[in-house]
Amino acid sequence: MTYHPKSDFMSVMIERGFMADCTDYQGLDEALSAGVVPGYIGFDATAKSLHVGSLIQIMMLRWLQKTGHKPITLMGGGTTKVGDPSFRADERPLLTPDQIDANIAGIKQVFAKYLEYEDTYEELSAAKAGRATPTTNKALMLNNAEWLDDLNYLEFLRDVGRHFSVNRMLSFESVKSRLDREQSLSFLEFNYMILQAYDFMELNRRYGCRLQMGGSDQWGNIVNGIDLTRRVIDQQVFGLTSPLMTTADGKKMGKSADGAVWLNADMRSPYEFWQFWRNTADADVGRFLKLYTELPVEECERLGALAGSEINEAKIVLADEVTTLCHGADAAAAAQATAREVFEHGGAGDDLPTLTLSADELGEGLSVVQAIVRSGLAKSGKDAKRLIAEGGARLDDAPLSDAGLVLTPADLASAVKLSAGKKRHALIRLKG
């Protein structure tokens, strides 16, 4: 990156590694230097929580606000009904309006931890006053169903569709890669990029939004929105993308051995969330500290350069900082305390993920294979048996070798700890 920005936001994006590309470095930098710039990122409501793969975008919005600008979180109440085909091998399952609303309610929970929102009638009214210059940098939470649900199809084709070239749409990598693999792309999905472009134009028209951000897989969609906004309402807007996040071993960010790493506490406990970051590969520590925490860049680089056993303390700092932002300082402290009890002192750890069974559920007993599956340490009975056969399972820190073992009510008179390898643990206890 050779561009030397004047604005604080662009400086942070470049210095901390958020920047993959920008449609106009100098133009955006000058706009950011001249006043408050509203910028948005869209989040489709495909699940009841976002996972850590979305955390880089959330941090970009947070830094936008911290440097004096106005973040807009756009919930895809409308676009989720279509589904983004970008770099997918198949079509997303279609959700009902009720499912989408429930997912949006779940997703909203996490944003209040990272952004300060406008919450008074006067603030919201001022934000909706059209193209007026924003008076505050408080965030807005919007839903694109507000303008997409009531579109007239013929008017939309005439007024918006005519600005899109099918030849150009087919050339975008997100579409081209799907067609090159001879995988079906439905007409429904093909419309998605037009709707996302329309979102940007409407946000500019309604709220003065001048910046769209997203992962680098959204580049084509963002450029479409910039072109449409210029053609239809003659406004200059900008696009900025972040790198697609992978771990040092090439895996996509957001997944772990036992599934997605959700941001909502009811879908992934703060302890498990903390543990995910504690298990970061050595090579990723410095980079993740810059992206996912607010520690000074120099400190991130110092911690990331540690070697040997010292890097483990840097990983604890990373886990503490990220968990504090997402779940609060108390949850981070409790997670670290639990981890130290489990790993350093062999304790059971009251904050570990817990499977609580009623006497009726337990009956005369629960097979240890089912206990491993139900506690989330394996995805299936086959995986649990393999874990036991390969010596990776432990019961109360003792090696577990008998896949036929049954846990009886007497065994569960006090909580027992199941372990999968050295780093993943769960408690099983009897209710009452």
Side-chain angles (χ1 to χ4, degrees), residues 265-319:
D266 59 343
M267 293 179 66
R268 186 86 173 194
S269 74
Y271 171 79
E272 292 174 294
F273 183 81
W274 187 94
Q275 196 64 51
F276 169 80
W277 296 99
R278 169 61 182 81
N279 293 339
T280 295
D282 293 3
D284 287 327
V285 174
R287 182 167 59 113
F288 285 2
L289 282 164
K290 289 180 187 177
L291 292 169
Y292 300 113
T293 81
E294 294 172 345
L295 293 176
V297 170
E298 297 77 13
E299 179 66 1
C300 296
E301 292 174 345
R302 184 191 71 79
L303 289 167
L306 295 175
S309 61
E310 288 186 332
I311 194 69
N312 290 326
E313 289 307 310
K315 293 178 184 181
I316 289 172
V317 172
L318 172 66

Side-chain angles (χ1 to χ4, degrees), residues 247-270:
T247 54
D249 58 3
K251 292 179 181 176
K252 190 174 181 180
M253 193 67 177
K255 303 288 185 180
S256 70
D258 54 343
V261 183
W262 303 107
L263 301 182
N264 287 18
D266 59 343
M267 293 179 66
R268 186 86 173 194
S269 74

Side-chain angles (χ1 to χ4, degrees), residues 121-370:
Y121 177 79
E122 291 77 12
E123 288 173 332
L124 291 170
S125 297
K128 291 182 178 180
R131 300 200 47 78
T133 302
T135 55
T136 77
N137 72 328
K138 288 188 177 179
L140 284 175
M141 173 77 72
L142 303 174
N143 186 335
N144 62 15
E146 178 185 332
W147 50 83
L148 294 182
D149 277 2
D150 297 324
L151 282 178
N152 178 294
Y153 186 59
L154 290 177
E155 287 183 4
F156 184 73
L157 287 178
R158 185 189 64 204
D159 297 339
V160 177
R162 67 188 178 91
H163 294 288
F164 287 82
S165 160
V166 170
N167 306 59
R168 187 161 184 250
M169 292 165 74
L170 289 172
S171 73
F172 284 118
E173 190 60 33
S174 58
V175 173
K176 191 171 177 291
S177 61
R178 180 96 157 253
L179 298 179
D180 286 347
R181 295 192 300 268
E182 298 184 357
Q183 292 163 328
S184 174
L185 178 71
S186 73
F187 179 69
L188 179 70
E189 293 176 287
F190 195 55
N191 276 272
Y192 186 93
M193 65 177 71
I194 301 178
L195 295 177
Q196 184 170 326
Y198 185 75
D199 280 347
F200 198 177
M201 183 177 73
E202 281 298 300
L203 285 169
N204 180 265
R205 182 152 49 192
R206 293 169 183 242
Y207 299 95
C209 182
R210 300 189 64 193
L211 171 65
Q212 182 182 174
M213 300 183 289
S216 57
D217 60 337
Q218 295 298 310
W219 180 256
N221 292 337
I222 292 172
V223 169
N224 276 332
I226 292 171
D227 288 347
L228 183 67
T229 305
R230 177 181 53 81
R231 289 169 183 264
V232 177
I233 59 176
D234 194 28
Q235 292 293 327
Q236 183 186 27
V237 291
F238 306 95
L240 184 157
T241 59
S242 61
L244 285 182
M245 289 306 298
T246 57
T247 54
D249 58 3
K251 292 179 181 176
K252 190 174 181 180
M253 193 67 177
K255 303 288 185 180
S256 70
D258 54 343
V261 183
W262 303 107
L263 301 182
N264 287 18
D266 59 343
M267 293 179 66
R268 186 86 173 194
S269 74
Y271 171 79
E272 292 174 294
F273 183 81
W274 187 94
Q275 196 64 51
F276 169 80
W277 296 99
R278 169 61 182 81
N279 293 339
T280 295
D282 293 3
D284 287 327
V285 174
R287 182 167 59 113
F288 285 2
L289 282 164
K290 289 180 187 177
L291 292 169
Y292 300 113
T293 81
E294 294 172 345
L295 293 176
V297 170
E298 297 77 13
E299 179 66 1
C300 296
E301 292 174 345
R302 184 191 71 79
L303 289 167
L306 295 175
S309 61
E310 288 186 332
I311 194 69
N312 290 326
E313 289 307 310
K315 293 178 184 181
I316 289 172
V317 172
L318 172 66
D320 283 349
E321 293 290 326
V322 181
T323 305
T324 296
L325 282 173
C326 190
H327 296 296
D330 290 346
Q336 185 184 152
T338 297
R340 291 193 183 280
E341 181 183 353
V342 170
F343 300 120
E344 295 177 10
H345 308 297
D350 289 338
D351 289 329
L352 286 176
T354 301
L355 171 64
T356 303
L357 302 170
S358 67
D360 289 341
E361 285 180 290
L362 182 60
E364 295 183 3
L366 177 71
S367 75
V368 75
V369 168
Q370 280 304 303

Side-chain angles (χ1 to χ4, degrees), residues 389-411:
E390 293 175 353
R394 300 176 78 84
L395 180 64
D396 281 338
D397 297 318
L400 177 59
S401 57
D402 181 6
L405 179 69
V406 173
L407 299 174
T408 67
D411 294 325

